[in-house]
Amino acid sequence: MSSGEAVVIEPGGPWSPWAVRRDGQIFLRVPVWLGVADSLWDFEITAEQLAALAAPARMRLLKDRLDGTTHRDDMRTIIDDVCLG
């Protein structure tokens, strides 16, 4: 975590997404395995999406749906679907 960030949803375990607030914006931080190395991708989310992900069952569903996904656009679609669905 860089300076100026505050965790707003803690990771639920290994390879679990979590949310951070940085410069007034909210980001969902998603760990991604890219075949040879892992990385972290940030996706901007709304306060409504954050509220949806505060439910542990919704975050588990998101983690399950993201598992094995390595395309950023696909991840964005999944995040929006789980948060707003």
Side-chain angles (χ1 to χ4, degrees):
M1 188 167 67
S2 66
S3 64
E5 284 186 344
V7 174
V8 291
I9 295 179
E10 294 285 337
W15 292 97
S16 292
W18 67 95
V20 297
R21 184 178 309 272
R22 179 177 67 233
D23 299 327
Q25 296 175 294
I26 306 165
F27 295 91
L28 184 67
R29 182 152 295 156
V30 179
V32 182
W33 176 251
L34 298 174
V36 294
D38 57 344
S39 185
L40 294 172
W41 289 352
D42 285 350
F43 295 88
E44 188 172 355
I45 59 173
T46 65
E48 292 82 13
Q49 289 174 308
L50 177 66
L53 291 174
R58 187 71 59 101
M59 188 61 91
R60 279 192 303 277
L61 174 63
L62 179 63
K63 181 182 182 295
D64 291 345
R65 296 263 320 266
L66 289 172
D67 188 38
T69 305
T70 58
H71 296 285
R72 192 170 183 84
D73 291 342
D74 292 344
M75 288 184 159
R76 177 82 253 179
T77 299
I78 291 168
I79 291 164
D80 291 342
D81 182 50
V82 169
C83 290
L84 303 175

